[in-house]
Amino acid sequence: MSADIGLVGLAVMGENLALNMESKGFTVAVYNRTTEKVDNFVNGRGKDKKFVGCHNLEALAKNLKKPRKILIMVQAGSAVDNVINSVLPFLEKGDILIDGGNSLFTDSTRRMKELEAKGFLFVGTGVSGGEEGALHGPSLMPGGSKAAWPAIKPIFQSIAAKVEGGIPCCDWVGEEGAGHFVKMVHNGIEYGDMQLICEAYDLMRKILGLSNEEIHQVFQEWNKGDLDSYLIEITSQIFTKKDEKQVDKYVVDLILDVAGQKGTGKWTVNAGLDFGVPLTLIAEAVFARCLSALKKDRVEASSILPGPPAKKFEGDRKQFIDAIGKALFASKIVSYAQGFLEMRAAAQEFKWTLNYGGVALMWRGGCIIRSKFLGKIKDAYDQNPTLNNLLLDPWFTQKVTECNASWRQVVVASIEFGVPVPAMSSALAYYDGLRSRNLPANLLQAQRDYFGAHTYQRVDEEPGKFFHTNWTGHGGSTIAGTYNV
């Protein structure tokens, strides 16, 4: 039989995506470098279903309808290039190669240009939702060769998660590596969301002394309001899970406090630095994971470095829990504002056409950061497609205003009790920086001009004119080139 699409890579995500596509009526040809996996899948989870098992890439290509569509689900990096180079001899011009891994967006841009030069089409698509999402409906963010979209659209939108009215969480994102760039920003925001939730948890257990069951109740309640989201929901469930061996203990308490990461958060921050976008919250979330990895150092420091004097919380516990929730929500808004700023910067840099409301819609279902308030982000960009910063949308301005006092209360309490909240505090610092008409960068420019003759602009002169002061009286008139972020 001729298959509608081919899939390379039968790890967890690839296998579940194959099952998802087949369940929507598509015939899928599957290949894995370890051919035993192909046989196990076709005779196991895929038994009596519309799958074509292939033991080599030539067989995969021969079993596909034209134009051939091949979804590559292998580890990002050289493995993707190896699959592409290995399968190209069996393809014809106009065939479509799709990378569904967590690839760096610049790699997707390069691959698209190289393949289009040879007559092929390339799509780099973000896939979010984990193994459950892959099986039942992920969020899909395809970008690359626009000519490929009509051929893959029926498959992608069929398997994607659906939100109100049956709208699929999948649409064409943009040119070149735009799909993987949007997925990268998604992952950066995910880092921020997870760190903020961890900080809220830490505040409740260390300042208020709440039990796991009590924290479970708090998150369960939060999931009914503005914080309604997948991550809040699963966090609530985590606090009720008892260990199978030590039945009187909770699994979360037995997990070593050393966080892992695969690099997409770092990529997000690096891109922010390249574009001059202050991704302060996401950067702190990445660095928080790095600090957690220094377990040995932290254990040693804990017995040497003093903190504030021990004290007992004597305020209104219920009010403080509510304040933590508001601080979490306000910080979350900042995280998304920064992420969307980065997408705007990339669109300007690479001349991509991104639909920001559409991106928010794609994240409404299926993905890890899916939440109720993404609908408000879509509304904000629908009402003002040129919105510069999400915080300036009336709904979000109102929300951070309502949360402001609680946000500050929580950050102050974290300092008084010595509980680190790097994401919450950096979000507040960003907020205060954004609303500051004047920042101390005038002094910074004076310092740069003093030691390096880097020049400065003046408030009483037109923008774009640069000046230099001979600060010591014995310096020369030579100036250095200006450097602007």
Side-chain angles (χ1 to χ4, degrees), residues 71-354:
L71 175 59
I72 302 167
M73 295 299 299
V74 300
Q75 187 174 0
S78 59
V80 178
D81 292 311
N82 291 338
V83 171
I84 291 172
N85 293 332
S86 298
V87 76
L88 279 184
F90 311 115
L91 303 183
E92 299 174 7
K93 289 184 177 181
D95 286 345
I96 303 164
L97 288 160
I98 309 159
D99 174 17
N102 262 337
S103 289
L104 184 60
F105 74 96
T106 49
D107 285 341
S108 294
T109 295
R110 169 181 59 81
R111 289 169 184 142
M112 188 204 80
K113 291 178 177 178
E114 290 174 353
L115 287 167
E116 285 191 347
K118 297 175 182 178
F120 302 101
L121 299 176
F122 176 82
V123 172
T125 184
V127 180
S128 181
E131 56 183 293
E132 282 298 305
L135 182 61
H136 300 296
S139 170
L140 297 168
M141 297 151 254
S145 303
K146 184 67 180 289
W149 180 231
I152 67 172
K153 181 178 179 179
I155 299 174
F156 271 42
Q157 293 197 336
S158 292
I159 68 171
K162 308 295 187 297
V163 290
E164 295 87 351
I167 299 173
C169 294
C170 169
D171 206 347
W172 188 251
V173 174
E175 306 85 340
E176 300 179 339
H180 274 131
F181 188 90
V182 168
K183 175 56 166 46
M184 179 191 76
V185 173
H186 164 284
N187 284 22
I189 292 172
E190 179 184 308
Y191 271 58
D193 271 4
M194 294 172 73
Q195 177 62 26
L196 289 168
I197 289 170
C198 290
E199 291 174 13
Y201 154 64
D202 213 24
L203 290 164
M204 285 188 282
R205 66 171 174 165
K206 288 181 178 175
I207 295 180
L208 298 179
L210 266 59
S211 68
N212 287 332
E213 289 293 340
E214 288 172 319
I215 296 173
H216 156 71
Q217 292 293 337
V218 171
F219 276 94
Q220 197 170 47
E221 193 61 33
W222 281 351
N223 201 45
K224 298 174 184 176
D226 285 335
L227 286 167
D228 178 358
S229 65
Y230 172 73
L231 283 170
I232 293 290
E233 179 187 345
I234 67 166
T235 302
S236 170
Q237 295 169 7
I238 285 170
F239 289 111
T240 63
K241 186 69 174 177
K242 292 285 188 73
D243 187 59
E244 292 180 359
K245 294 181 180 178
Q246 304 181 59
V247 294
D248 59 329
K249 295 186 178 180
Y250 293 88
V251 175
V252 69
D253 296 330
L254 298 172
I255 297 174
L256 185 68
D257 59 328
V258 174
Q261 54 184 317
K262 291 187 175 180
T264 48
K266 182 181 74 174
W267 292 350
T268 311
V269 175
N270 287 345
L273 291 170
D274 290 340
F275 301 136
V277 177
L279 297 181
T280 53
L281 189 154
I282 295 170
E284 288 293 353
V286 173
F287 287 131
R289 295 195 187 194
C290 296
L291 183 58
S292 79
L294 303 177
K295 178 68 174 179
K296 183 180 178 181
D297 293 352
R298 290 189 290 112
V299 170
E300 181 182 4
S302 67
S303 62
I304 299 172
L305 301 179
K311 59 186 294 187
K312 183 179 179 182
F313 182 82
E314 296 180 350
D316 185 323
R317 290 162 62 87
K318 187 176 184 304
Q319 184 276 330
F320 190 62
I321 291 171
D322 181 62
I324 294 173
K326 287 180 177 176
L328 172 56
F329 186 59
S331 301
K332 181 184 175 81
I333 291 172
V334 168
S335 181
Y336 283 73
Q338 292 181 356
F340 275 81
L341 270 176
E342 182 171 46
M343 286 189 280
R344 287 182 66 85
Q348 291 170 2
E349 174 74 16
F350 303 120
K351 296 178 173 56
W352 295 340
T353 303
L354 299 184

